[in-house]
Structure formats: C-alpha cells, structure tokens
Amino acid sequence: MLIQFSVSNFLSFDEKETFSMVAGKGRKNLDRVFNDRKNKLTKCKVIFGANASGKSNLVSAFQFVQQMIVDGLPRGFSNKFFRLDSEKKAVPSEFEIEFLCESKIFIYGFSILLTTGSILNEYLYEYISPSSTRTLFRRDTVSEVFSVGPYFKKANTLSKLKNYGEDSANDQEVLFLSIINQNKGKMFSDFPELQILRNIFEWFADKLNISFPDSILTGYPYFTDTNLDEIADLLNALGTGISELKIVEVPVEVIKNKIPDELYNRIVTNLEKANARIRSELDECPRVMIRSYKEFYTFEIDTTGKITITTIEFSHETKDIFFDLNEESDGTARLLDLIEILFKISNNRIFVIDEIDRCLHPSMTVKIVALFLSMAKMRNTQLIITSHESRLLASEILRNDEICFVSKTGRGTSVINPLEKYQLRADKKVYAALFDGTLDVGPSFNESKLSGLIEQ
C-alpha cells in the first residue's frame, strides 16, 4: 500500500511537494481505514483542482517513476523539468515513494537530471521509526559509489549484491532496481534473502496501476468464464441495460487484418515460449490479452500448441442479440475499465486514475466511488483519482482525509494541500466551501477582461 509520494522539479511541481495517504484523526467510517498498528492509511483519495492546476501532472509523476523502474527512461523525458524557471534546467528532479511491501515499510527514491537523462543517485531503505532506517542499498553515480546496508545479514548475499552494485556504480542510464531484476531468476533462487528486491520491483510493476483519460486501466484481466455472470449483473445494476456476457472465438484471419503481422508473430512466439516454460510447473494455458480503447482479445495456447483467440460480446434487453465492445457506448467502455476496482482481483493493488469522471454521468461517478468505499471495508485496495465532479463532495460520502486539492500559485507552481490544511469549521460543508470562496482552489476568472471581450 502507498503511504506517501514526493516529487520536485517535475512538470508544474517546483519545490518538493508530498502527496500522502496517511489517515487523519477523524472517526467517520473508520472501518475503511487500513490500520496495522504501525500505519493508519486511507484507501481512497480524491484530488480536486481547477483546470491546469497540476492534477494530471501528479499522475504523470507516478507514471514517470513506474516507467523508469519497469521500462527505463520514457519518451520526452528531457523537457519535463519545471520549465517556468530557466535555472531548473540544471537542477536534478527528485522522486521518493514510501510504501508497504511484505508487511514492512520501505522508502525508495532517486534523483535524475532530466535534460541529459542522467541518474545521479538512488536509494532503498526500510523504515524502522521516525529517527531510524535500515539501508538495503545506496548508489551515487557521480562519485561512482555503491553501498549495501545492514538489511541483509548473510555474507554471501552481501557479497553478491555488492558485486552487481559496483558493476553499475557509474551507470547513469538505468536504475539499479531495474538492473537487479533483469533476467535474475536463478539469483533469487540461490540467494533468497534478495527476493525482497524482486518483490519491490513487482510492487511498482504489478501493484501500481495508472490510467489517463486516453488510456486503459489494466486490460480486463478479470474477464474469465467463471465471473461473466457477476460482471453482467453489476453492469445491469448500474443501468447499462446489459443483461448477459459471453466469450466468443474470433477467427485468426480477422485478427490478422486488425493488427500488424509483427505484433501477431510476437504474441504467438511469446505464448509458445511461455507454454514450454510453465507446463512443467502449472497446469494452465498461457494467455495474452491485447486491447485498444474499444476492442479486446485474448490469445491462449493449449498443450498441443493450438492458438485460440476470443473476445467478449454483450446482450441487452433482447438476450439473443449480442454486440461487440466497439458497438457499446463510450460510457460502457469506461465502466468496463473502472469496475475492476470492485472485484477481488483488485486486492492489494493501488489504482491511480486521472479524470475518473470522463464519459460518465455525474451520478454514475458518485456511485462507482461509493461502491468502492463499501468494498474498501473488506479489501486492502487503494484508489487515487482526480476529478472535477463536485457531487462527490455534495454527497458527503468521503472522509475529510480522503479529499485533497492541487492548486497553482501566481508563479505557476503546483501545490498539494489536504483538506485538513484549510481548517474548516466543524459545521462548514466542504461542498459549500468550494463555491463560496472559503476554499480558494477553483478557477480564477478575470471578470473585467471577460466583460470587455464580450462587448467587443
């Protein structure tokens, strides 16, 4: 689970800003607060703010860290520093994330000079107390120094990790957390104490799910034969008119006309490799799911090497007539992404969703969040969303510590403020404060200039 995330000199964030999931002192809906005695964390955070305040830039900062760890430097990295200050071009951008993994608190961070893509330092600590941490590793590529801390106890583990670290001490292009997880399966078997580095990598790769309005969430991994009725019932209860879902086979020729040969061949090759690798370990068929905004296909290989491609079709009030996903509305396609947060597959995952209300009726947005909050009482799933939907405040379904705002200063820097910082009176409604000027977080209009333009 996420505890907090800090960022500086990235897009509209200048000085260090921290986004926190630490729960406040409020006693409302305590049953949906994660509490393991050491940590009290909210499972939901709704980020409000005016257009261009920096909400999406915060989501981009999450994504940048994930991409750096999993795939390396993302496209367009060199101009993502805070460009409104010319001096920031030569200042490192810093990222730090504190999170729970394997029932322990870890702090991982790195700094990078974005103009050149040069990683300057990187560190991983276990948090013990406010005044104490235990180092796993620390790397300074400028001084070309790599050090291993007291977290690892066994001499052979320390020696192995130090060897890998020293080899990469001057590598400014790739994070060490990425390096140590590239084709190192045997190493983790031979040195089980190092498995924590694999678990932390997988936390970023698999547990953290980030979605923008023009992207998908995770690709429908919850679509299986066993839960189609459950999905159909939920979609029907949400008023979509959908009454039944079924999995149908798609001819190979149809798919080959839709995707490039190179992609098709790569999928088949990967399935064949996976089939050979896991058959001796698991009694299941390897699958690959691919999708675009309104198309979705599952490739599966059986024991004989036969490839089967399937998709989902939907029926509405007339049960004997089925439709493809691309025939459904944009709102239904959006719902199919979002309802994943309500299923068991979402447990122990963090969803960061920008503009959750895109393509949704305001009441639908409120209902989805309300359903998640009910589900949060039973699962350790975190939902972090940006939204303009003020009905989420009017409905009063959120705890105060589940609300925060991103606003912009006069010099164009984004600032993250939790609701508690505004110290509203106990009898003051947040929704009313949003519109009466008590919360100065909405758009700022130049009425005089607007009047003049209208007159012209």
Side-chain angles (χ1 to χ4, degrees), residues 108 119 122 137 139 146 161-162 164-166 168 174-181 197:
Y108 174 76
I119 298 165
E122 180 184 7
F137 70 82
R139 184 172 69 135
F146 182 90
L161 185 60
K162 193 172 182 180
Y164 276 118
E166 290 177 346
S168 68
V174 186
L175 293 168
F176 180 72
L177 186 59
S178 306
I179 294 171
I180 200 65
N181 279 282
L197 298 177

Side-chain angles (χ1 to χ4, degrees), residues 285-336:
C285 296
R287 297 192 304 168
V288 169
M289 294 183 180
I290 65 168
R291 65 156 289 191
S292 61
Y293 175 49
K294 293 182 74 172
E295 288 189 277
F296 159 72
Y297 302 102
T298 299
F299 290 66
E300 189 171 300
I301 187 169
D302 65 15
T303 54
T304 67
K306 179 185 176 183
I307 302 289
T308 302
I309 305 170
T310 57
T311 190
I312 301 292
E313 289 187 351
F314 309 80
S315 72
H316 289 252
E317 289 76 7
T318 304
K319 289 194 173 186
D320 57 344
I321 300 176
F322 284 81
F323 300 88
D324 295 331
L325 176 58
N326 58 22
E327 296 177 282
E328 297 293 337
S329 70
D330 289 345
T332 297
R334 183 66 167 159
L335 269 180
L336 287 170

